[in-house]
Amino acid sequence: QLQMQESGPGLEKPSETLSLTCTVSGGSISTSSHYWGWIRQPPGKGLEWIGSISYSGSTYYNPSLKSRVTLSVDTSKNQFSLELSFVTAADTAVYYCARGSYCSGASCYYDYWGQGTLVTVSS
Amino acid sequence: EIVLTQSPATLSLSPGERATLSCRASQSVSSYLAWYQQKPGQAPRLLIYDTTNRATGFPARFSGSGSGTDFTLTISSLEPEDFAVYYCQQRSNWPPLTFGGGTKVEIK
């Protein structure tokens, strides 16, 4: 059974860079059948897709965040990571990593999710 | 960007009743629409993909229909564990992948 776990600081100061890592267990990240994504959810609000990455490092970003987001993958550790720069209070959210499946190209739905990690941006 | 509008925002029903949730897209997404279920404090779970296909672990009382811009999630007879928030997501025209604002199904 695939499991995904986000890790990283729960508190960031405004203007700093948020960094999160997702560790995948119970399956390999090195598969062409899936993509690996980040989705966030501000407290009490809906879901926002941040971006996704393939095991080979191809990246796809939400245009609204593209200038601040970097995704990377480390297949040797079965991990992928998110960096979001110049954070503000509006970036406070639960951040989920998820596996993309049933894809057309890199356009996917997400069938496995991490439990999510709350990141608060505050001075 | 494709905007998905879900209605109603809240649906108050009793166990055993039928639930009908709507998701409307700002332009056609063909059949490339999914539904997720989210319970408090939990991650979303993929429920339906490509409009009609039930994901692993969900019973037959859940069904999806529609095409183009109008989609429906139907729960034929609500069980206590079905009370949750439901989101739709499109993967037709991207980036970005987009989600609807959600429908909360609550106990009446």
Side-chain angles (χ1 to χ4, degrees), chain A residues 1 19 30 36 44 46 56 69 75 79 93 96-97 113 122:
Chain A
Q1 174 82 348
S19 296
S30 299
W36 308 93
S56 60
V69 173
T75 55
Q79 294 177 335
Y96 295 101
C97 60
W113 295 61
S122 175

Side-chain angles (χ1 to χ4, degrees), chain A residues 39 41 45-49 52 60-64 96 101-111 113-116, chain B residues 1 31-34 36 38 41-46 49-51 56 87 89-92 94-97 99-101:
Chain A
I39 298 106
Q41 185 172 35
K45 297 189 178 180
L47 301 163
E48 180 180 34
W49 178 75
S52 61
Y60 309 85
Y61 297 130
N62 190 321
S64 69
Y96 295 101
S101 291
Y102 311 111
C103 306
S104 291
S107 172
C108 308
Y109 308 118
Y110 292 96
D111 63 346
W113 295 61
Q115 66 185 25
Chain B
E1 172 176 327
S31 63
Y32 299 122
L33 189 106
Y36 296 83
Q38 186 178 35
Q42 297 183 16
R45 285 180 65 194
L46 180 65
Y49 63 95
D50 287 345
T51 300
T56 304
Y87 293 95
Q89 179 227 323
Q90 66 84 23
R91 67 167 183 82
S92 173
W94 80 296
L97 301 174
F99 293 86

Side-chain angles (χ1 to χ4, degrees), chain A residues 6-118:
Chain A
E6 306 88 354
S7 59
L11 181 64
E12 293 290 351
K13 289 182 167 51
S15 82
E16 297 197 338
T17 296
L18 176 163
S19 296
L20 296 174
T21 295
C22 182
T23 300
V24 180
S25 59
S28 175
I29 202 171
S30 299
T31 167
S32 59
S33 300
H34 301 288
Y35 288 78
W36 308 93
W38 291 95
I39 298 106
R40 70 180 182 178
Q41 185 172 35
K45 297 189 178 180
L47 301 163
E48 180 180 34
W49 178 75
I50 299 170
S52 61
I53 189 167
S54 71
Y55 79 96
S56 60
S58 298
T59 53
Y60 309 85
Y61 297 130
N62 190 321
S64 69
L65 298 169
K66 187 174 183 178
S67 63
R68 299 194 291 131
V69 173
T70 302
L71 301 190
S72 59
V73 62
D74 186 339
T75 55
S76 67
K77 295 181 179 179
N78 230 32
Q79 294 177 335
F80 61 105
S81 298
L82 163 70
E83 289 191 340
L84 181 65
S85 61
F86 302 107
V87 296
T88 70
D91 296 309
T92 294
V94 175
Y95 286 75
Y96 295 101
C97 60
R99 185 182 81 169
S101 291
Y102 311 111
C103 306
S104 291
S107 172
C108 308
Y109 308 118
Y110 292 96
D111 63 346
Y112 282 91
W113 295 61
Q115 66 185 25
T117 187
L118 174 63

Side-chain angles (χ1 to χ4, degrees), chain B residues 8-85:
Chain B
T10 303
L11 198 51
S12 299
L13 294 169
S14 300
E17 289 194 294
R18 182 183 188 90
T20 303
L21 287 67
S22 173
C23 177
R24 178 163 290 176
S26 58
Q27 61 189 82
S28 177
V29 299
S30 186
S31 63
Y32 299 122
L33 189 106
W35 293 91
Y36 296 83
Q37 178 192 69
Q38 186 178 35
K39 296 182 179 179
Q42 297 183 16
R45 285 180 65 194
L46 180 65
L47 167 58
I48 299 277
Y49 63 95
D50 287 345
T51 300
T52 62
N53 298 292
R54 246 183 351 266
T56 304
F58 284 95
R61 64 179 179 273
F62 292 93
S63 63
S65 62
S67 67
T69 61
D70 290 300
F71 299 85
T72 301
L73 173 69
T74 302
I75 311 172
S76 59
S77 177
L78 282 164
E79 296 289 337
E81 61 268 27
D82 300 337
F83 291 92
V85 180

